[in-house]
Amino acid sequence: MIVRPHPSPISLLFILRGSIIRAIVAELVVVFLAAACVTGVYHLRPMWFSGISLAPFTLLGLALSIFLGFRNNACYQRWWEARQQWGQLIAETRSFMRDLGALLPGQEERRQRLGRRAVAFAHALRCQLRGEPLEAAQPWLPAQDWAALAALRGKPGEILNIQSREIAGALRDGAMTDILYRLFSERLAVMGNIQAACERLQSTPTPFAYTLLLHRTAWLFCLLAPIGIASTLGWMTPFATVVLAYAFFGLDALGQELQEPFERTANAVPLDALARIIEISVLEALGETEIPKPLQPQDFVLL
Amino acid sequence: MIVRPHPSPISLLFILRGSIIRAIVAELVVVFLAAACVTGVYHLRPMWFSGISLAPFTLLGLALSIFLGFRNNACYQRWWEARQQWGQLIAETRSFMRDLGALLPGQEERRQRLGRRAVAFAHALRCQLRGEPLEAAQPWLPAQDWAALAALRGKPGEILNIQSREIAGALRDGAMTDILYRLFSERLAVMGNIQAACERLQSTPTPFAYTLLLHRTAWLFCLLAPIGIASTLGWMTPFATVVLAYAFFGLDALGQELQEPFERTANAVPLDALARIIEISVLEALGETEIPKPLQPQDFVLL
Amino acid sequence: MIVRPHPSPISLLFILRGSIIRAIVAELVVVFLAAACVTGVYHLRPMWFSGISLAPFTLLGLALSIFLGFRNNACYQRWWEARQQWGQLIAETRSFMRDLGALLPGQEERRQRLGRRAVAFAHALRCQLRGEPLEAAQPWLPAQDWAALAALRGKPGEILNIQSREIAGALRDGAMTDILYRLFSERLAVMGNIQAACERLQSTPTPFAYTLLLHRTAWLFCLLAPIGIASTLGWMTPFATVVLAYAFFGLDALGQELQEPFERTANAVPLDALARIIEISVLEALGETEIPKPLQPQDFVLL
Amino acid sequence: MIVRPHPSPISLLFILRGSIIRAIVAELVVVFLAAACVTGVYHLRPMWFSGISLAPFTLLGLALSIFLGFRNNACYQRWWEARQQWGQLIAETRSFMRDLGALLPGQEERRQRLGRRAVAFAHALRCQLRGEPLEAAQPWLPAQDWAALAALRGKPGEILNIQSREIAGALRDGAMTDILYRLFSERLAVMGNIQAACERLQSTPTPFAYTLLLHRTAWLFCLLAPIGIASTLGWMTPFATVVLAYAFFGLDALGQELQEPFERTANAVPLDALARIIEISVLEALGETEIPKPLQPQDFVLL
Amino acid sequence: MIVRPHPSPISLLFILRGSIIRAIVAELVVVFLAAACVTGVYHLRPMWFSGISLAPFTLLGLALSIFLGFRNNACYQRWWEARQQWGQLIAETRSFMRDLGALLPGQEERRQRLGRRAVAFAHALRCQLRGEPLEAAQPWLPAQDWAALAALRGKPGEILNIQSREIAGALRDGAMTDILYRLFSERLAVMGNIQAACERLQSTPTPFAYTLLLHRTAWLFCLLAPIGIASTLGWMTPFATVVLAYAFFGLDALGQELQEPFERTANAVPLDALARIIEISVLEALGETEIPKPLQPQDFVLL
């Protein structure tokens, strides 16, 4: 995520970081060259272009705008849902710690284990979503838990299973009633729902056929538009075409980036920073005194 | 679902799998021929076209874009809801297994039966939604359960009923309190809600009158537009018309495909792969050692 | 609801059932005649039309498209919510039967009464929403229940009240704990919510002022557009105007039909068929052997 | 709310009640006069208008359409949420009465008080939302309750507090278990949520800056458009401008009306009629025999 | 939030407060000057502009309108969610007080502490969201609570933890059953969810790349449009360009303001006034007699 004070209007025009322009510069060059060719032909054979107007291309451009608007909305919703799920995970972990603190007052060790394992869950989920090894979860887990995870595919889910067995142990010890067991069981179920929702967002992009259809329509438009523009704008045609291509390809590329909200990119959800917030919340609830600091943006980017 | 690394911009232009173009190639040919006829008439009798502009057709095209944008949004929402419901089923099954593991520690056999029946539910629902025979559920069910299902229409629902009776048995045995019974009853109710939502998505397409109205408007537009385009673009008319038809019919066909999210098609929800994830989660929770692998895409397609 | 296999593109053009065209044929004739008059005037006095372009009418048409798109979205949402509520009613009734089967195993008679009354609720709600007499609910109710309903306005609600008293009887008998009473009370509350939501959808159409504003703008557009089109398309003007009128009035009429999702019309929610599904689910859960068949579409229409 | 059978297409054109036209007649007159002036200038100095086209104004008009479409959607959502909240209040009150009837069978007096106070809550909320004195709630409250309310600001909230104390009394009497107390506490909490949501809708209109920006853009468009239209339509200019102004100002004014869903206006939510439905439901549940009739629309308007 | 009676149409045109115009006046001046330059060039070298039409710029403008419409929708949703969360906080605090009043009748001191701490939570959350010191919470907290907060980062969360420990104390005292503990625990969890949602809205703006892309496209459009307008409108070009720039930059700036709903600005959510409503509700529930008044708008602005 890019974090910066709202820049002045003029500096806004020259910011590169976070700009989508680097992702589409190749497309813009191709479009420019193609438009330059069309303009060249127009100057050699202007009569070929007599009577050609922009109207048919306008129609294509407008249809494209509407479809891009629709797809961007879908991509933005995915990105925002990803952020919501992680916000919910922060809230659930805090509620989990709150009830642990209130209901297991004499059982410091058990609380420590349960709390630290909640942090491990957040790290394991984060690493799985980013396709990274799960080592970040290891320092937060007892050794036998970490060993038990090794053989399993569904590592974050297994951490929840261990949590559940530990709490059920308290139920059998008589340290907790079944009413209170249910309270914790529902917190763990919500964490499981968050995990499933994140896996859904990660594994199911918007239908590939949309990407294809929009991308191809955008190319068709940008390559054909100069034919309609040349007779109107003459040598300015390539520049005008690039401006249009910037808007269309830019929105297309931005949607592409937003629809993968868990990647380690500048516009994605900052999982590292959110996992750190969970660490801080848990350690403060456990009464630790050495609390790490929240992650700070590097070069305006929070990962 | 089509799963592939984001292709390079150039290869994007030549990908056929997942492309909607195969579904609309007949329409495109018809439109091309019709536009070619109009262009022919125009060259024979140009004065018939004098003064004709694209403006009235533009208006129709824009209205069509807006209506197509609306319908596509509705179809996409259906597809996404289908995926959400199955993600929720994965999460619920995992929570069900988690609570079983924590609360029925000594009753290995009962846990096995309940867990494997949860997999059977997923397979039965999957097969019902795809209109396939329910044999895939058989290996996961005790023989008498499978026999009991034979006579009934609502097979997935009956599997939930058997689960419920088994858990109520544990309640009567004293192996479980009523508080914990309620916990399981609510998990089963959520699974029933997922079943009802999937049946709704399968049995209730978007209103047929929309399909008709949009399809007919698209045809009217594509057949009439050449009249307006011919005097502007001359012999390029058929090509320009096909480009417009590609965008409109392509979006129409894509909406049609997405609104049936449970079909066994390339753009649908990959029920087989999701049911396999449920298998893996349940078998790992039951402590099995032979765990099947997640399904891999064949030719970039996950079914 | 119209249920038919996806027709071939060509047959799509000739289907009448489900088409909105029959609802707007009068409007189309009026528009055609008006446009023909304008065209006649244009041929008599062409100089009156010199310099007139379609541009001002285009603007009106586009604004109309956007507003129609918005209203259609709202109407579609209402229709879809209506279908969702009934899908939810199916799921709730099944969960109700599931818990009854598990928790009242020895009390066959009570279960029979509760189950059959749940069917009566669905029928009573269906008939109330369609403005039909509630006789369909009578065979599913004990005689004294039916008599008690006679004097009351809120008949479906009273059926839920009777259910609730029957379950509270089991609580006082000691056949059920208060925990389990709450479980059933919440199922009944959800059914009451579904009832209230359906009554809301039935009694509160989209604001009448919208209907007026859109309908009038559509008329203004269709009557004025020929003035702008005549000088461009000549004698084709009435045909082009009718095509535009087909798209605009068609969408307007379709929205009108969808916003009354409980009517007995071809595009409405098929309450009869859904109530039959509830019958089947309940009878199967009660272990009956004579189960009615699901309703089949008549002439492609499911009511 | 305007309730009328769907009028015939022709009568639709002449209906005034519920039409937004009365709210914008002043604007339309001003626009007409301004356009007439522009047309006058055009006839005196046609060369001033040579070369002026509608294109720049079209762009403004289209942007305005899109922004109006967005704002109308937001206003409609507010109106619909207001209706949903009151539908939910009806359902919650009925569920409250249902559980009272089932769980307090011997305590007729307590049930009477609790039921009638639920009606008082609906009336108090209704009057507060409409800025009317709360006298309508008085007949439904015991005298000491009414006296206690006098000094307090949050009257509907205080009625819920009294309900809660009465139910907690039953808990202390042993007439109810804590499980059942929780059931009622959650019903009251939902009523409190409905109250807070209604207060939110009432006190927080859409941002004033939107209203300003849209209103001003609409004025700019309607005053400038005749400049572009005059050279095309000549003396028809004022009429065409008024048609456009009707669509834009009409939608603007309608959004304004819908965003205040609790006002006593023709297009608002009919709180009086909904509160009457709550009265009927409660009185029927209490077994009263004199039940008031549902409110009927006066002159097609239900308030 | 700006609160004012709906102004007359004419005064609407002259209102400055709340208007977005002050935020964009610099942009408008730049656009005016640039357009004036283009117009000057046009009068010196009209042949450079021969054949140039507005069509290519129209396309850009329309695409921009659609994308702005999408972004505004997203920003408005954020603002509205912020308001919803605070409305929910009011409702939850009232429900919390209601259950305290009903369930802890003899324990006046404990109720006082819990109630006042709920106000402290609202103030601490408000101050954190606005980046202000948390002193406003101090008068509502016992001294040792305030001291305990000093060292911690997550101050609002810690207040909830203290609440939870106090209620668990009542559970251990036997003043409350575990069922009722769960009721309070869920209220606190909802408050924690509200906190997490507000932190999400504050810390995660819409993706910066959107802001960049839209801002740059708006600039490109406003600087290029005069080229297309000049040959049509002549010396009126700068004025027409400024009108377009007013609509586009105005909507852009308004979206920017709405997406930071917790700032101390005129169009933001009035956290001070909402926190005051919580104070009033709590003090009335505690039976205090000196109740502060609701905050009144200053100069039509409620902060």
Side-chain angles (χ1 to χ4, degrees), chain D residues 5 8 16 62 127 132 144 150 170 172 188 190 195 200 202 213 228 238 244 249 262 264 272 276 293:
Chain D
S8 74
L16 266 184
L62 282 178
C127 294
E132 296 169 0
Q144 82 266 34
R172 274 189 297 275
L188 295 177
V190 173
Q195 178 196 350
R200 162 170 54 82
Q202 183 205 28
L213 186 64
L244 286 170
F249 282 121
F262 298 125
R264 195 175 269 284
D272 291 6
R276 174 63 59 88
K293 292 222 173 108

Side-chain angles (χ1 to χ4, degrees), chain C residues 14-260:
Chain C
F14 298 101
I15 288 171
L16 266 184
R17 176 160 308 278
S19 167
I20 205 66
I21 213 167
R22 291 187 296 190
I24 59 170
V25 75
E27 275 91 341
L28 296 187
V29 169
V30 172
V31 166
F32 184 89
L33 295 178
C37 293
V38 171
T39 315
V41 173
Y42 168 69
H43 280 115
L44 295 175
R45 295 279 183 277
M47 78 289 308
W48 287 5
F49 289 73
S50 78
I52 289 185
S53 87
L54 190 53
F57 309 107
T58 299
L59 196 48
L60 189 63
L62 282 177
L64 184 59
S65 301
I66 292 169
F67 305 156
L68 267 177
F70 151 65
R71 176 158 174 270
N72 250 277
N73 199 29
C75 292
Y76 172 76
Q77 298 295 344
R78 290 168 56 86
W79 175 83
W80 190 232
E81 195 199 340
R83 180 63 186 79
Q84 279 177 314
Q85 296 290 348
W86 271 80
Q88 185 64 19
L89 182 58
I90 293 175
E92 282 302 317
T93 307
R94 285 177 187 159
S95 294
F96 185 75
M97 294 312 295
R98 187 160 53 243
D99 283 320
L100 277 186
L103 296 173
L104 295 180
Q107 318 197 25
E108 195 48 35
E109 216 175 315
R110 190 172 256 162
R111 231 178 89 214
Q112 285 280 345
R113 274 200 310 272
L114 285 164
R116 298 180 68 86
R117 224 184 263 118
V119 178
F121 174 72
H123 279 302
L125 182 57
R126 170 177 73 84
C127 294
Q128 177 187 299
L129 291 173
R130 289 207 158 150
E132 296 169 0
L134 270 65
E135 259 60 39
Q138 188 172 6
W140 300 90
L141 285 174
Q144 82 267 34
D145 288 5
W146 179 250
L149 287 185
L152 297 174
R153 230 175 264 284
K155 292 187 184 20
E158 181 61 17
I159 295 178
L160 294 183
N161 291 348
I162 301 176
Q163 295 280 65
S164 176
R165 283 197 290 269
E166 176 113 38
I167 294 167
L171 170 63
R172 275 189 295 276
D173 290 2
M176 200 181 276
T177 64
D178 53 356
I179 297 277
L180 298 176
Y181 172 82
R182 239 194 108 191
L183 192 158
F184 286 106
S185 160
E186 276 169 23
R187 295 244 178 287
L188 295 177
V190 173
M191 290 180 195
N193 286 350
I194 291 168
Q195 179 197 351
C198 288
E199 288 172 3
R200 162 169 54 82
L201 288 165
Q202 183 204 28
S203 72
T204 312
T206 55
F208 187 65
Y210 268 122
T211 309
L212 271 185
L213 187 63
L214 281 176
H215 202 78
R216 287 174 181 177
T217 309
W219 271 110
L220 283 169
F221 173 75
C222 289
L223 296 180
L224 294 177
I227 301 175
I229 299 178
S231 63
T232 308
L233 292 185
W235 59 268
M236 282 172 58
T237 301
F239 299 95
T241 311
V242 160
V243 167
L244 286 169
Y246 168 67
F248 288 129
F249 282 121
L251 216 66
D252 187 40
L254 191 48
Q256 199 63 38
E257 230 180 281
L258 285 186
Q259 80 157 304
E260 292 172 343

Side-chain angles (χ1 to χ4, degrees), chain B residues 60-171:
Chain B
L60 189 63
L62 283 178
L64 184 59
S65 301
I66 292 170
F67 305 156
L68 267 177
F70 151 65
R71 175 156 174 271
N72 251 278
N73 199 30
C75 291
Y76 171 76
Q77 298 295 345
R78 290 168 56 86
W79 175 83
W80 190 233
E81 194 199 340
R83 180 63 186 80
Q84 280 177 314
Q85 295 290 347
W86 271 79
Q88 185 63 22
L89 181 60
I90 293 175
E92 281 302 317
T93 307
R94 285 178 186 158
S95 294
F96 184 75
M97 294 312 295
R98 188 162 50 245
D99 283 320
L100 277 185
L103 296 173
L104 295 179
Q107 319 196 22
E108 195 48 34
E109 214 174 315
R110 191 173 257 161
R111 232 179 88 213
Q112 285 280 345
R113 274 200 309 273
L114 285 164
R116 297 180 69 86
R117 224 185 262 119
V119 178
F121 174 72
H123 279 302
L125 182 57
R126 170 177 72 83
C127 293
Q128 176 187 300
L129 292 172
R130 289 206 159 151
E132 297 169 359
L134 269 65
E135 259 61 40
Q138 189 172 4
W140 301 90
L141 283 174
Q144 81 267 33
D145 288 6
W146 179 250
L149 286 185
L152 297 174
R153 230 174 264 285
K155 291 186 182 23
E158 181 61 17
I159 295 177
L160 294 182
N161 291 348
I162 302 176
Q163 295 280 65
S164 177
R165 284 197 290 269
E166 176 113 37
I167 296 168
L171 171 63

Side-chain angles (χ1 to χ4, degrees), chain D residues 272-288:
Chain D
D272 291 6
L274 294 170
R276 174 63 59 88
I277 290 178
I278 290 177
E279 281 183 21
I280 295 173
S281 297
V282 168
L283 291 174
E284 288 197 348
L286 290 176
E288 300 278 341

Side-chain angles (χ1 to χ4, degrees), chain A residues 116 119-121 123-124 126-127 134-141 146 149 159:
Chain A
R116 298 179 68 86
V119 178
F121 173 73
H123 280 302
R126 170 177 72 83
C127 294
L134 270 64
E135 260 60 40
Q138 187 172 6
W140 300 91
L141 284 173
W146 179 250
L149 286 184
I159 295 178

